[in-house]
Amino acid sequence: MKNIDAVGHVRGESIYVDDIPVRVGTLFALAYCSSSAHARINRVDYSKAEEAEGIHRIITHKDIPGENQIGGIILDEPLLAVDEIHFWGQPIAIILAESEYLARQARKLIEIDVEELHVITNPREARKQNKLIHPPRTFSIGDVDNTFNKCAHIFEGRADSNGQEHLYIETQGAYAYPGENDKLFIVSSTQGPTAVQRTAARVLSVPMHQIEVDVTRLGGGFGGKEDQATSFAVMVALASKITKRPVKYVVHRMDDMKMTGKRHPYSSDYKIGLSEDYKILAYEATFHQNAGAAADLSPAVLERTLFHATNAYFIPNVKVTAYSCKTNLPPNTAFRGFGGPQGMFVIESAIQHAARSLGVKKRTIQHINLLDNGNEFPYGQVVDQCQAKTSWNESNEKFNIEKLEFGVLKFNAENKLYKKGIACMPICFGISFTNTMMNNARALVHVYQDGSVGISTGGVEMGQGLNTKMVQVTAEAFNISAKRVKIETTNTTRIANTSPSAASATSDLNGKALQKAIRSIMTRLLLVARQELGVEYHQLDFKNEHIFIDGEKSDLHWEQLISIAHQQRVNLSEHAHYATPIIHFDKSKEKGHPFAYHVYGNSITTVTVDCLRGIYEIDDVKIVHDFGKSMNMDVDLGQIEGGLVQGIGWMTMEELAYGDDGRLLSNALSTYKIPDIYSVPKTIDVKPLKTDGHDLAILKSKAVGEPPLMYGIGAYFAIQNAVLAFNPNANLVFDAPFTPEKVLLALYGE
Ligand code: MTE
Ligand code: LUZ
Ligand code: MOS
């Protein structure tokens, strides 16, 4: 099935927040933000701004009727600063004007007097000063300390990865309007409609039922709108409540980049111990997560780093500890992979370090240590339906890794100033929210009396093809044409208490709820057919929009069946709830079975480095990926390509830069470089692994949203290998992104 949004997107007809026709009386909101990263506010003078043309009023923390608190996991983040500033870009006030332009003009007239305080941007410094979001956590299995004594080889080092700007094409935004009896309607570009509803209720001091949140679709989220859409939605909600007028805020790109948190930078230490024959016997790592100025989702991101610290490898003795460090950056947040990529980069660095020192290929060590059924993850889950070795073997056979490596060697022997490098990157990614409680969803299905169907779920479409998949699930479960099915907006009044659309689990959770609702309706319809036709239940079947009796197609068609059922006063609507079975996790022991299943795969990345300039090209990425039984290969391939390129961007070129004063320097697309058509791999070849899929995946089609991002990590090591081909004495550091400047230094350094 084609993506149902394709035509609307191409024609520019799809509706985003900024496309909603503006209501009469709308005020335009604009946040006034701090220009210091850490300071005490002595005085803010709004008087000139308040008198400026077109200014309706300016809202500060004093105007908040409820709690000035937007923290999601930990209650540690004010909506509007009170007397201290904790990051550059922190909202202090909301300007309301007759137009966005006038709001921006007035913003320049606000004067602030602050006392600057010491700014921390480095997570290691934060840890030294004991500035932590919460106490550190450790996952462990076996006995690392005793095992290191028995290892033939031990390597220790440091690996750093930088953050990443989400750069969703649609910036953050929301539009709120008041209804009768204090009701408030909020349209938000959010992955988490319930988070918006809950937080707006808290800040406005109203019950949640007074707030209706509606989401049509997002122009991308990538995790950046899992939690951080909330503040903007609450700002317009607050302003609308106070002024009783519609209030709109669509955030300017540079304000969005400055104000919002990003992927967490990590600074980590590793120690890896191997046997004589390259089995990894012990692994120890300490992660310093740069959380920024408030918790946001950092505790959950930190947890996923620990869950993925050993990637697709079985290591019998592991001890990994993670610190969530409080710094004066905007609160960092969810980003595709959610801490998993940061953990995986460190183990891959450790293996690269070992391979180079031992003079063996990295892939030899990777191969020997791949996971297998029956192995235990450090968090206690036992591996089953493992595809680590199958995807590895299939990729290396189908793509002929030896031949690819030989091609690289030959090229390098023949070329002095250009060198190629190649690297394998296996992945293993757990599917489920690591917080077990969040793994639930609901769906509402209406069959109308003409046989058309309307479906609602708690899932949010953000470009990942969720809506297309939900229509497919519906058509499949009813056995009717997809043309009869319409997907409604995501709305908290129709579907309550949603988990955010995240963790790659949206289709699984919402699709399974949808199937349950449809099965209930279908059972009632078959009962109607049985009575109408006077046959036994077991003789009946419904397919291709027709009732079948003993395998023979009858005249009873979908539309007639619905019409009869309606006349007989049969309920044609259903609301269903799904909660993932099996999963559990005990935080006091750090053990359990947190994931419904894992997604596996392997990528082979080849790059060419220009050894005069330090620039490089990604020649080719070949992937064998475990889709299970993909229900929509076009959508899923789009996810692989997008995720891969986003991962390559993070590892190679996207360079977030903050000054020592905590100001974002890479604050526009001129100073923050993301992959464009010239920097994507010249070819991407994806082959699906042949498997049966998994029962906990929707229609056995495994979650695909986040896992492919981690294939991009291969680019880092492929570039390193090219550098080594030019300069065998290069001093290898693990400090992503591997920008051309760093490549050049490595090419000529020792
Ligand atoms: N693909 C597009 N086009 N746009 C997005 O914002 N977000 C990613 C991924 N793929 C995203 C995307 C992230 S971070 C997640 S968690 C999943 O999609 C969410 O959707 P899913 O649960 O339906 O896979
Ligand atoms: N969000 C979340 C996530 O709250 N919990 C998770 O485990 C998760 N994983 C991936 C992406 N978002
Ligand atoms: Mo994705 S990081 O789970 O929104």
Side-chain angles (χ1 to χ4, degrees):
M1 186 170 156
K2 285 211 178 108
N3 189 317
I4 59 172
D5 274 344
V7 172
H9 283 1
V10 171
R11 288 186 179 160
E13 290 168 354
S14 301
I15 304 280
Y16 300 87
V17 172
D18 208 15
D19 298 314
I20 298 169
V22 173
R23 296 189 163 214
V24 174
T26 292
L27 291 170
F28 293 83
L30 181 71
Y32 166 66
C33 303
S34 71
S35 296
S36 328
H38 193 195
R40 195 160 294 123
I41 302 175
N42 291 331
R43 200 176 63 94
V44 193
D45 184 355
Y46 299 105
S47 56
K48 285 184 194 141
E50 278 166 339
E51 281 154 29
E53 185 198 343
I55 297 305
H56 185 77
R57 73 173 279 176
I58 294 174
I59 291 173
T60 69
H61 70 94
K62 292 186 191 127
D63 301 307
I64 294 174
E67 282 175 66
N68 180 15
Q69 183 50 253
I70 58 166
I73 297 177
I74 299 173
L75 298 180
D76 69 348
E77 190 179 354
L79 175 70
L80 299 172
V82 180
D83 43 23
E84 274 209 32
I85 289 160
H86 294 276
F87 64 93
W88 198 298
Q90 183 174 351
I92 299 171
I94 308 163
I95 305 162
L96 298 178
E98 302 300 333
S99 79
E100 191 203 333
Y101 175 77
L102 293 173
R104 306 190 81 79
Q105 296 305 105
R107 184 162 73 173
K108 296 177 195 157
L109 303 175
I110 298 174
E111 287 163 13
I112 188 165
D113 170 26
V114 299
E115 181 193 334
E116 298 283 349
L117 301 170
H118 177 63
V119 172
I120 299 180
T121 59
N122 181 327
R124 290 187 191 249
E125 187 190 339
R127 182 189 161 191
K128 270 201 205 104
Q129 298 194 14
N130 210 23
K131 290 195 187 310
L132 299 178
I133 298 286
H134 60 82
R137 286 177 68 183
T138 299
F139 284 15
S140 73
I141 189 168
D143 181 350
V144 274
D145 295 331
N146 276 316
T147 313
F148 276 123
N149 295 330
K150 295 174 203 141
C151 288
H153 314 285
I154 294 176
F155 304 98
E156 287 181 73
R158 170 175 164 160
D160 289 54
S161 58
N162 204 340
Q164 186 175 23
E165 164 64 45
H166 300 87
L167 230 98
Y168 23 67
I169 295 179
E170 180 196 24
T171 56
Q172 303 274 4
Y175 198 173
Y177 13 97
E180 61 175 21
N181 300 328
D182 272 346
K183 190 199 151 146
L184 205 62
F185 190 82
I186 309 174
V187 178
S188 165
S189 181
T190 180
Q191 292 172 241
T194 292
V196 167
Q197 184 193 23
R198 183 180 56 232
T199 313
R202 188 201 290 148
V203 173
L204 304 191
S205 191
V206 299
M208 280 171 76
H209 71 212
Q210 290 291 62
I211 292 178
E212 178 175 348
V213 180
D214 195 85
V215 183
T216 300
R217 68 165 64 68
L218 276 51
F222 306 110
K225 295 169 182 170
E226 182 173 335
D227 218 45
Q228 302 222 344
T230 300
S231 61
F232 302 100
V234 174
M235 283 184 216
V236 293
L238 174 66
S240 181
K241 168 102 176 159
I242 291 173
T243 61
K244 300 196 168 17
R245 282 171 67 169
V247 179
K248 177 176 170 174
Y249 189 4
V250 171
V251 183
H252 186 282
R253 174 69 66 189
M254 285 174 85
D255 281 348
D256 186 310
M257 291 178 83
K258 179 173 80 175
M259 293 168 74
T260 62
K262 307 170 196 319
R263 181 188 293 288
H264 294 77
Y266 272 62
S267 182
S268 313
D269 300 310
Y270 62 81
K271 181 174 177 185
I272 190 168
L274 297 90
S275 69
E276 209 61 72
D277 52 357
Y278 310 136
K279 270 226 165 323
I280 304 172
L281 300 180
Y283 179 63
E284 202 175 325
T286 306
F287 303 102
H288 301 97
Q289 176 197 55
N290 192 336
D296 194 276
L297 291 165
S298 298
V301 171
L302 190 88
E303 186 168 78
R304 201 174 267 280
T305 302
L306 295 173
F307 281 115
H308 292 86
T310 53
N311 190 13
Y313 310 109
F314 173 61
I315 307 176
N317 303 282
V318 176
K319 188 173 164 199
V320 283
T321 301
Y323 293 85
S324 185
C325 307
K326 193 168 176 168
T327 62
N328 298 111
L329 300 186
N332 285 317
T333 194
F335 196 136
R336 208 170 192 171
F338 204 74
Q342 291 95 320
M344 284 150 98
F345 178 68
V346 180
I347 181 89
E348 294 300 326
S349 297
I351 296 175
Q352 175 86 340
H353 182 168
R356 186 188 182 204
S357 304
L358 295 170
V360 293
K361 284 182 192 159
K362 185 183 182 205
R363 87 170 158 93
T364 306
I365 302 179
Q366 289 175 311
H367 185 194
I368 291 170
N369 292 286
L370 286 173
L371 279 168
D372 211 341
N373 289 326
N375 290 160
E376 192 179 331
F377 287 105
Y379 48 90
Q381 185 159 342
V382 175
V383 180
D384 71 339
Q385 302 189 42
C386 186
Q387 305 293 353
K389 290 186 175 170
T390 46
S391 49
W392 176 276
N393 293 340
E394 212 164 301
S395 62
N396 288 354
E397 280 159 29
K398 280 212 171 112
F399 297 121
N400 199 344
I401 182 85
E402 266 102 20
K403 196 171 156 203
L404 293 172
E405 282 176 347
F406 182 75
V408 167
L409 279 177
K410 188 161 173 286
F411 178 93
N412 289 347
E414 290 165 358
N415 290 277
K416 260 205 182 117
L417 293 179
Y418 290 88
K419 296 290 179 189
K420 283 188 188 288
I422 186 167
C424 290
M425 180 65 201
I427 61 152
C428 167
F429 195 80
I431 302 302
S432 288
F433 288 94
T434 55
N435 179 0
T436 302
M437 181 231 125
M438 292 170 79
N439 294 283
N440 65 83
R442 281 148 301 285
L444 176 66
V445 178
H446 295 314
V447 181
Y448 293 95
Q449 49 191 286
D450 65 353
S452 64
V453 177
I455 57 170
S456 299
T457 77
V460 168
E461 171 65 51
M462 58 187 111
Q464 87 279 40
L466 173 79
N467 285 355
T468 305
K469 288 187 172 179
M470 293 305 99
V471 170
Q472 270 185 280
V473 166
T474 307
E476 203 266 355
F478 272 129
N479 226 316
I480 57 173
S481 160
K483 291 198 185 82
R484 294 190 187 274
V485 184
K486 173 174 174 245
I487 181 131
E488 307 290 353
T489 60
T490 315
N491 180 292
T492 53
T493 301
R494 262 175 281 119
I495 305 291
N497 306 320
T498 62
S499 289
S501 286
S504 305
T506 317
S507 325
D508 283 358
L509 297 173
N510 292 279
K512 296 247 175 192
L514 199 50
Q515 282 180 327
K516 272 177 84 171
I518 293 169
R519 278 177 197 146
S520 300
I521 297 175
M522 212 55 221
T523 305
R524 294 197 285 269
L525 289 176
L526 285 175
L527 207 64
V528 169
R530 186 184 129 187
Q531 282 162 359
E532 188 68 19
L533 298 166
V535 295
E536 288 303 308
Y537 198 75
H538 66 84
Q539 295 177 278
L540 277 178
D541 198 4
F542 185 84
K543 38 184 202 208
N544 299 331
E545 307 209 327
H546 275 272
I547 286 285
F548 282 66
I549 305 165
D550 294 326
E552 293 281 318
K553 191 172 180 177
S554 80
D555 290 337
L556 191 50
H557 181 254
W558 171 256
E559 280 173 23
Q560 275 168 290
L561 181 59
I562 297 303
S563 169
I564 296 166
H566 177 61
Q567 279 164 32
Q568 294 181 358
R569 299 186 294 172
V570 171
N571 177 9
L572 293 175
S573 296
E574 190 72 29
H575 178 271
H577 169 86
Y578 174 78
T580 314
I582 298 173
I583 53 172
H584 57 88
F585 193 71
D586 181 349
K587 265 190 168 184
S588 68
K589 300 195 178 73
E590 304 286 25
K591 297 280 179 195
H593 188 109
F595 298 117
Y597 58 88
H598 289 81
V599 171
Y600 299 87
N602 184 40
S603 69
I604 307 171
T605 304
T606 310
V607 303
T608 306
V609 172
D610 174 337
C611 302
L612 269 185
R613 298 178 182 85
I615 57 176
Y616 44 77
E617 292 186 331
I618 315 291
D619 301 327
D620 189 29
V621 182
K622 298 181 186 302
I623 295 170
V624 165
H625 183 80
D626 166 26
F627 294 93
K629 275 172 57 181
S630 172
M631 65 183 286
N632 193 321
M633 211 22 123
D634 287 340
V635 166
D636 288 357
L637 277 176
Q639 288 296 296
I640 301 276
E641 290 172 0
L644 169 70
V645 169
Q646 210 162 30
I648 292 175
W650 171 53
M651 279 283 111
T652 65
M653 62 199 298
E654 296 184 38
E655 192 169 33
L656 271 184
Y658 289 95
D660 288 338
D661 57 2
R663 185 164 70 99
L664 179 69
L665 303 173
S666 52
N667 67 344
L669 281 164
S670 54
T671 45
Y672 185 77
K673 183 90 179 96
I674 64 157
D676 58 14
I677 195 64
Y678 300 106
S679 42
V680 300
K682 294 207 185 51
T683 63
I684 299 175
D685 194 349
V686 184
K687 291 200 194 311
L689 183 73
K690 289 213 169 45
T691 66
D692 296 332
H694 197 285
D695 286 333
L696 294 180
I698 183 69
L699 296 172
K700 297 194 174 238
S701 181
K702 282 189 169 183
V704 70
E706 295 168 285
L709 183 128
M710 285 148 276
Y711 291 134
I713 297 173
Y716 190 94
F717 297 100
I719 295 172
Q720 269 199 343
N721 291 341
V723 168
L724 284 174
F726 181 82
N727 175 11
N729 298 321
N731 174 29
L732 288 194
V733 292
F734 305 105
D735 184 17
F738 213 170
T739 55
E741 291 88 337
K742 289 189 201 161
V743 172
L744 196 63
L745 290 173
L747 284 166
Y748 296 97
E750 295 207 346

